[in-house]
Amino acid sequence: MDIASTSTTHGISAIWGDGRFPAENFTLKATVFMKSWVFLFCFLTPFLYGIETPQPTRPRLENVSFLRDTAALSHEDALMLLRYGTYRALPNEAISFGADAATYWVAFTLPPNPSQRFYLEFLYDQLNRVESFIYDDDQLVHTSINGNSVPIEQREVQYPSTRFILLSSEKTLTYLFKINSHRPLILALYVGTQAELDYQTYQNVLPIIFFLGGVVLVFFVNLMLFYEFKMKAYGYYALYLMSVCFFVLSVNNFIVYALHASENLDQWFKTLSITGVYVSMLLFTIHVLDLRRFSLFWLKSTYLFCCAIALLFLFFFAHRMLFAIFATSAFILPLYTLLIAFFAVLKRIRFAVLYTIGLFGFHAGMLVYWLTQMGFIPLFPLAKTGIIVGSFWEMIFFIWILVLKSKQTQRQYHSALMRIREKEQEQLTNAKFISIGRTIGNVTHQWRQPLNALGAVLTHVKASLLLQNTVRKQPLLDSLDTSFEILQHLSETIDTFYRFLLKAKSSDQTFCVSKQMEILLNMLAFSFKNLGIEIQLRIQSDAILLGNANEFMQAILNILQNAKDQFEIVRVPHPLIRIVVKQRCRRCRIVIIDNAGGIRIHPIERIFLPHVCAKADNSGIGLFLVKEIIEKRFHGTISVRNYPKGALFIMRLPTVE
């Protein structure tokens, strides 16, 4: 959208001058990348602009003037009006003529020049169509055509910019340029050799390319941060950066050159990109300042404003109201976003000050750019690059905010993780207490019948002493032997349960699966027998595992206890639990099957999640612990499925030689 106006008597325009252009590891890497880019941009760009090139003797352009044409003049008529003095002198200060649909004629005379070939280039290359007419007195000696709408292969000077040849002649030549453009019209002319013009173009384009490279880098970093943290602020800022990238490309005609786009398509790209810039910025504002927590009014207003911007810009584009787009972008949108920023500062919202400083710099650059485009202020060296300077300023502060926000998110994540781990530890402790309670219950069942038997023996001895006058020695010794056997059994039982509880914190070691299964079934024999539950153990191979034997028994015990609880609910005629142990290819496969009717939780894999249980009075931690033990402690797998009569658990554990 820029095209500049200045008279040039010493080659380059007076207003152009020599124009100097002024997750934790994951987050750390992203910060280093962005700091490096900022350093290179700040260091290299002034250096590029500070390079001076040799200045050969250039031809002087004289009587540079212009004419606004609303009557569709021919080049002969335009020359005649030039002779009559109708043209006005082109001002020394470049001021935009605005988005004017009228045709403009630019004229100057070129005194006799040496044989060296020089070229003339329109620096602010937003011209749609430029026709050149060269006169020797009243005789037309040369014509050519250039401009954004003209394919490069049809131009006399096949170059992306609007460049014309200055003819070598011993006479004074008159040059007429017919300019048609619906974009803001700024005329700035530069005369020099092919190499000088190329160098001037590189000086103008290289910082833009470098800036766009930085934008693309930050864009991908934000996408990775968005993927890492799932925060919408990163996603909206990535969208904003891409919109800025497309807007800068379209403003500097890169899209026109790349796609050979028509003027309508070019204006569509500009409108769409500027819409994306402000809509994504507003959405980014909502999330980076967390307006949802502080003000529903500003939140709803901002969403409505986003919709209004999109509809208004489409309406303005459809009716060719480019000035309305400029005015909205230069005044209304910055005013609204700055109001939100000041509100956030007053409310002392986190990051509001940094956001306001960054936003002010961006809008200052955009405002300078739009004011020069609309002709309210003269063009000065940084006017064309106002968007880049403002975006660069804003990018520094917004990146700063996002880095701080990512660190805050990491702290919140670690804090939440610590709370979750504390909660899980509490739940695991409760589960262990429940397991101990069940174990003590098994001890109770295990001791009840032997104690009853011991009581019967002692009662018999007491009755014999009271009722019989004489006590025979042998029956008394038999009763005492029976009592000692019962006591020995009770001692072995308590040792078994004691070792079971004591090994909870023992170190990993190898153990035999069949031996631990037999110990576990001996512990459960009485309690399961009293309920009529039959346990069938079938060991096809004697597998050896590495780990904590108590944890292994705890996992099996939880599955068996769940089956027992289910039998108490279902009441099947012949409750049965079958356990099959076999080994194949250094893997131990343990299958536990019951006929208690199956698991009624859907999907069935949810039973391994914490707090998922079919019984209201249960904690739902048991099977979660089982999965943790099997997968994390023994590096195995566990699965479950229903079959017609009940549930089937399959465990696969790596064995050792």
Side-chain angles (χ1 to χ4, degrees):
M1 295 189 188
D2 24 1
I3 333 172
S5 152
T6 184
S7 65
T8 174
T9 57
H10 298 286
I12 189 166
S13 161
I15 58 91
W16 190 254
D18 60 355
R20 298 175 187 269
F21 183 69
E24 302 128 36
N25 293 335
F26 180 84
T27 305
L28 179 61
K29 291 178 182 178
T31 306
V32 170
F33 276 132
M34 290 184 282
K35 286 181 178 178
S36 302
W37 168 75
V38 170
F39 171 76
L40 289 173
F41 186 88
C42 294
F43 178 76
L44 292 179
T45 304
F47 175 75
L48 290 172
Y49 271 84
I51 297 176
E52 298 292 340
T53 55
Q55 301 293 326
T57 303
R58 296 191 182 94
R60 295 172 57 88
L61 306 184
E62 298 178 352
N63 303 319
V64 182
S65 56
F66 76 97
L67 173 69
R68 186 174 184 270
D69 173 17
T70 57
L73 299 174
S74 65
H75 58 88
E76 293 91 350
D77 296 334
L79 179 64
M80 181 179 62
L81 292 177
L82 177 66
R83 300 280 191 255
Y84 289 153
T86 309
Y87 284 60
R88 289 185 293 168
L90 201 65
N92 289 327
E93 285 189 328
I95 298 178
S96 171
F97 295 105
D100 194 347
T103 299
Y104 278 79
W105 291 85
V106 175
F108 60 82
T109 57
L110 183 66
N113 60 79
S115 58
Q116 184 177 4
R117 172 162 290 185
F118 287 94
Y119 295 82
L120 179 141
E121 183 170 297
F122 289 86
L123 290 179
Y124 292 85
D125 193 16
Q126 296 288 320
L127 307 177
N128 184 40
R129 183 181 178 87
V130 182
E131 296 179 63
S132 169
F133 305 93
I134 304 175
Y135 280 89
D136 181 0
D137 291 333
D138 292 331
Q139 182 179 359
L140 181 65
V141 296
H142 188 77
T143 62
S144 62
I145 189 171
N146 209 315
N148 293 335
S149 63
V150 180
I152 292 180
E153 58 272 10
Q154 296 181 14
R155 304 178 188 180
E156 182 179 26
V157 181
Q158 296 184 358
Y159 198 78
S161 60
T162 306
R163 186 176 296 183
F164 293 90
I165 297 175
L166 295 180
L167 300 182
S168 300
S169 174
E170 299 297 330
K171 299 180 181 179
T172 299
L173 300 179
T174 301
Y175 285 76
L176 284 177
F177 293 94
K178 180 181 180 182
I179 302 172
N180 291 311
S181 180
H182 294 287
R183 301 160 185 163
L185 184 60
I186 309 173
L187 301 175
L189 313 176
Y190 183 78
V191 176
T193 63
Q194 183 90 346
E196 288 178 312
L197 294 183
D198 290 346
Y199 179 78
Q200 181 68 37
T201 301
Y202 295 149
Q203 271 196 323
N204 296 336
V205 172
L206 193 59
I208 297 174
I209 295 175
F210 193 78
F211 170 77
L212 293 176
V215 171
V216 172
L217 170 64
V218 179
F219 168 76
F220 283 110
V221 170
N222 272 273
L223 281 185
M224 290 186 288
L225 287 170
F226 174 69
Y227 177 78
E228 182 76 13
F229 296 108
K230 301 297 186 294
M231 290 175 56
K232 291 183 178 179
Y234 293 112
Y236 287 130
Y237 191 58
L239 179 62
Y240 165 77
L241 290 171
M242 190 51 56
S243 299
V244 169
C245 183
F246 275 107
F247 183 66
V248 172
L249 286 173
S250 60
V251 162
N252 289 277
N253 278 346
F254 292 148
I255 292 180
V256 174
Y257 296 145
L259 303 180
H260 300 288
S262 63
E263 183 177 357
N264 286 333
L265 185 58
D266 182 46
Q267 293 297 336
W268 167 253
F269 269 115
K270 288 183 173 66
T271 304
L272 186 63
S273 59
I274 195 64
T275 303
V277 167
Y278 281 104
V279 169
S280 56
M281 175 181 284
L282 290 172
L283 294 175
F284 171 76
T285 302
I286 290 173
H287 291 278
V288 80
L289 297 180
D290 203 4
L291 293 181
R292 193 182 304 275
R293 293 177 52 196
F294 296 98
S295 174
L296 288 177
F297 168 77
W298 285 109
L299 177 68
K300 294 178 180 178
S301 299
T302 305
Y303 279 125
L304 289 174
F305 211 66
C306 290
C307 298
I309 289 170
L311 294 176
L312 276 175
F313 280 4
L314 288 175
F315 176 79
F316 292 155
F317 171 76
H319 291 78
R320 309 292 297 177
M321 299 169 64
L322 299 181
F323 187 86
I325 296 178
F326 299 161
T328 305
S329 302
F331 300 105
I332 299 175
L333 288 172
L335 180 63
Y336 182 80
T337 51
L338 288 173
L339 281 175
I340 296 178
F342 289 138
F343 162 79
V345 172
L346 292 176
K347 290 289 185 179
R348 297 186 177 182
I349 297 175
R350 189 175 178 86
F351 311 125
V353 174
L354 292 176
Y355 174 81
T356 304
I357 296 173
L359 194 67
F360 183 81
F362 172 75
H363 285 317
M366 291 290 285
L367 181 62
V368 168
Y369 177 79
W370 291 126
L371 289 177
T372 56
Q373 296 296 300
M374 291 183 285
F376 290 111
I377 60 175
L379 197 68
F380 59 96
L382 292 181
K384 183 180 179 182
T385 54
I387 298 175
I388 294 178
V389 175
S391 299
F392 176 69
W393 174 273
E394 166 268 324
M395 197 179 303
I396 293 175
F397 285 92
F398 282 12
I399 289 171
W400 189 359
I401 291 173
L402 290 175
V403 169
L404 294 177
K405 198 171 184 65
S406 66
K407 291 181 179 179
Q408 179 190 17
T409 303
Q410 287 177 353
R411 289 194 296 269
Q412 293 174 349
Y413 171 76
H414 288 306
S415 177
L417 186 61
M418 290 298 296
R419 289 196 298 269
I420 291 172
R421 286 178 177 173
E422 290 174 0
K423 186 69 175 176
E424 287 182 353
Q425 188 62 38
E426 180 183 350
Q427 293 169 349
L428 292 175
T429 303
N430 292 336
K432 289 180 180 179
F433 281 127
I434 293 171
S435 177
I436 291 172
R438 286 183 169 183
T439 304
I440 294 173
N442 288 322
V443 173
T444 303
H445 288 292
Q446 194 84 347
W447 276 29
R448 182 171 289 117
Q449 185 173 344
L451 287 174
N452 289 337
L454 180 61
V457 170
L458 295 177
T459 301
H460 176 72
V461 172
K462 182 178 181 179
S464 298
L465 291 174
L466 292 176
L467 299 177
Q468 296 179 10
N469 293 327
T470 61
V471 178
R472 290 182 296 174
K473 181 179 179 181
Q474 189 60 40
L476 181 59
L477 291 175
D478 293 340
S479 297
L480 291 175
D481 290 339
T482 303
S483 298
F484 281 122
E485 289 176 1
I486 294 173
L487 290 174
Q488 180 66 27
H489 174 71
L490 293 177
S491 177
E492 292 176 355
T493 302
I494 198 64
D495 286 342
T496 300
F497 282 98
Y498 176 73
R499 286 194 299 270
F500 175 76
L501 296 175
L502 184 65
K503 287 182 180 178
K505 296 183 179 179
S506 64
S507 59
D508 292 347
Q509 57 186 354
T510 58
F511 61 88
C512 179
V513 174
S514 59
K515 183 177 179 181
Q516 299 303 319
M517 285 290 188
E518 290 172 359
I519 294 173
L520 181 60
L521 295 185
N522 287 334
M523 291 169 52
L524 301 176
F526 279 95
S527 60
F528 276 65
K529 186 176 181 181
N530 288 338
L531 293 174
I533 302 173
E534 180 185 359
I535 301 179
Q536 295 178 356
L537 175 62
R538 182 182 177 187
I539 298 177
Q540 297 181 355
S541 60
D542 202 3
I544 304 297
L545 303 181
L546 175 63
N548 190 319
N550 178 266
E551 291 179 345
F552 172 76
M553 294 172 65
Q554 184 72 42
I556 304 299
L557 177 61
N558 269 302
I559 296 175
L560 297 180
Q561 289 284 9
N562 283 344
K564 173 187 170 184
D565 294 341
Q566 185 67 15
F567 280 125
E568 291 178 352
I569 297 173
V570 177
R571 300 290 183 183
V572 297
H574 302 288
L576 173 65
I577 299 175
R578 288 187 295 170
I579 304 174
V580 180
V581 180
K582 58 183 177 180
Q583 182 178 357
R584 179 181 297 174
C585 299
R586 301 187 66 179
R587 303 283 290 184
C588 176
R589 188 170 184 265
I590 302 173
V591 180
I592 302 176
I593 311 172
D594 64 60
N595 61 347
I599 299 170
R600 294 178 176 81
I601 295 175
H602 299 284
I604 194 171
E605 292 79 11
R606 291 182 61 244
I607 65 171
F608 293 117
L609 298 177
H611 309 298
V612 176
C613 183
K615 294 178 65 177
D617 59 345
N618 206 330
S619 64
I621 298 295
L623 290 177
F624 170 70
L625 277 176
V626 171
K627 187 177 180 65
E628 291 286 303
I629 291 171
I630 296 300
E631 293 185 352
K632 294 186 178 180
R633 298 289 293 147
F634 287 89
H635 308 291
T637 61
I638 182 170
S639 60
V640 61
R641 66 174 184 266
N642 285 326
Y643 81 106
K645 293 184 179 181
L648 184 149
F649 287 84
I650 301 176
M651 288 170 279
R652 296 178 176 85
L653 308 169
T655 62
V656 295
E657 294 296 335

